[in-house]
Amino acid sequence: MRHLLSTKTLTRDEAIEILDVAEDMAETQFREVRKLPTLRGKTVVNLFFEDSTRTRISFEAAAKRLSADVITFSAKGSSVSKGESLKDTAQTLAAMHADAVVIRHSASGAPQTLADSGWIDAGILNAGDGTHEHPTQALLDAFTMRKRLHGERSRGRALDGVAVTIVGDILHSRVARSNVWLLDTLGAEVTLVAPPTLLPVDLGPWPATVRYDLDDAIAQRPDVLMMLRIQSERMRAAFFPNSREYSRRWGLDDERLARLDPASIVMHPGPMNRGLEISSGAADSPRSTVLEQVANGVSVRMAALYLLLSGDREESTRV
């Protein structure tokens, strides 16, 4: 694997391979010594132009558990805040002999630009770009679904026929976009639920069904209900009347949780706005996989870094 920039370009076999390698990584985390020597001598740079505590810590933990050297670069207080360009930053990292760059950027397409630029000969891993994609979040979500639904028999399996309903701020969500493409590749049936103002204008190419009523969607008995955070920091207009109205119509409260199928699971990529898109009762219920998603995120990111860096770099450039 040369880069991991999007789930849209992953084949079914590639996606299952990443999930299976993540199974191997997860098993090592129950040992007394959880650190592996796999990436000893490799340098992983976390290049974060946007704030993100969860994702950054998860990637740091993944790289360190594979024995890689980790450099974390935050745009705040750095040369970037003084006007340095992405090209100059990339060339600085190239001079440091970075083997992999984990990049989060507010501009959609920034990781692709870095991968195609020739400024740096390193594997590029997209940790979220604008409102475009967040591939490792979708992979850890799929990993979590697979483990909950198939248990010890999950290895090698996809998500054929699994009904997944994604609810909330679809318009600004890179998590939703990555999940839609990956879940479709793995055979799941995806439904999007949101107010019309929080849906992209052109959903024609998206392999998903669109609904506007959460109660109607719950009545369809989904296997997975994924709640998304309202991304107020990306909103420059009023997309719904007020938070109380949003919670009443599109929030997962205790009453809606009770109407879910007993076997359904509740997911949230975090951070959660309790009382807005999800109640504390739903977030802390046995059906919730929120903490499992955090733990699984380290295993999935270990798998991504392993597949990115375990092969010969010159060999991978010819693939």
Side-chain angles (χ1 to χ4, degrees):
M1 189 165 66
R2 172 62 174 162
H3 306 293
L4 179 56
L5 305 173
S6 166
T7 60
K8 192 174 183 179
T9 56
L10 286 176
T11 67
R12 181 183 174 98
D13 288 343
E14 287 170 339
I16 291 174
E17 181 188 12
I18 296 172
L19 298 181
D20 286 349
V21 173
E23 295 261 10
D24 297 331
M25 297 300 175
E27 289 176 5
T28 68
Q29 301 310 295
F30 293 100
R31 301 175 183 173
E32 185 176 351
V33 178
R34 289 177 288 179
K35 205 164 187 177
L36 302 173
T38 315
L39 298 183
R40 185 176 294 157
K42 301 290 187 181
T43 299
V44 176
V45 176
N46 287 332
L47 183 59
F48 277 60
F49 292 85
E50 264 188 342
D51 294 332
S52 175
T53 303
R54 287 168 179 250
T55 303
R56 177 178 54 80
I57 290 176
S58 183
F59 271 112
E60 282 184 9
K64 287 178 179 178
R65 289 180 188 178
L66 291 170
S67 299
D69 296 319
V70 182
I71 300 172
T72 297
F73 182 99
S74 176
K76 286 186 177 179
S78 72
S79 299
V80 173
S81 64
K82 301 172 185 176
E84 183 173 83
S85 67
L86 179 61
K87 178 180 180 179
D88 291 331
T89 302
Q91 291 177 330
T92 299
L93 298 179
M96 295 178 182
H97 305 291
D99 296 291
V101 176
V102 178
I103 178 172
R104 168 169 286 213
H105 204 286
S106 59
S108 299
Q112 185 74 57
T113 298
L114 192 58
D116 295 342
S117 64
W119 300 330
I120 184 170
D121 181 27
I124 308 300
L125 210 158
N126 182 3
D129 60 328
T131 56
H132 178 228
E133 282 215 43
H134 193 351
T136 57
Q137 179 66 48
L139 285 161
L140 75 87
D141 290 340
F143 182 91
T144 304
M145 292 178 205
R146 203 172 73 151
K147 290 298 286 184
R148 271 288 184 116
L149 296 171
H150 300 306
E152 296 301 318
R153 299 173 297 160
S154 62
R155 191 182 297 274
R157 301 187 68 163
L159 295 171
D160 295 300
V162 176
V164 181
T165 297
I166 303 175
V167 185
D169 187 359
I170 310 294
L171 178 63
H172 302 101
S173 178
R174 50 197 170 205
V175 173
R177 285 168 174 79
S178 284
N179 264 295
V180 165
W181 299 115
L182 179 64
L183 291 171
D184 178 66
T185 297
L186 292 173
E189 300 166 2
V190 183
T191 299
L192 303 176
V193 180
T197 51
L198 288 178
L199 288 167
V201 174
D202 183 16
L203 284 170
W206 291 36
T209 301
V210 177
R211 294 181 181 273
Y212 305 101
D213 190 304
L214 178 55
D215 294 309
D216 179 48
I218 288 175
Q220 304 303 312
R221 302 170 69 87
D223 299 299
V224 180
L225 188 66
M226 182 184 296
M227 309 305 296
L228 299 176
R229 181 176 66 88
I230 293 296
Q231 299 189 39
S232 55
E233 72 277 8
R234 298 185 187 277
M235 296 181 180
R236 300 292 181 266
F239 289 86
F240 48 86
N242 53 60
S243 57
R244 180 178 296 179
E245 177 71 6
Y246 181 89
S247 181
R248 185 180 70 82
R249 295 195 60 183
W250 293 283
L252 181 61
D253 55 19
D254 294 348
E255 190 273 331
R256 287 189 172 113
L257 178 70
R259 285 195 277 114
L260 275 175
D261 188 275
S264 298
I265 63 174
V266 175
M267 306 186 75
H268 195 299
M272 294 180 288
N273 294 314
R274 290 176 183 250
L276 180 56
E277 69 258 5
I278 189 169
S279 68
S280 289
D284 299 329
S285 74
R287 298 185 192 186
S288 171
T289 65
V290 173
L291 294 181
E292 292 168 47
Q293 288 170 265
V294 175
N296 292 337
V298 176
S299 300
V300 166
R301 285 160 180 146
M302 286 174 71
L305 288 169
Y306 169 79
L307 291 169
L308 207 68
L309 294 177
S310 61
D312 181 79
R313 295 298 302 163
E314 293 184 5
E315 181 74 20
S316 65
T317 61
R318 294 194 292 268
V319 175

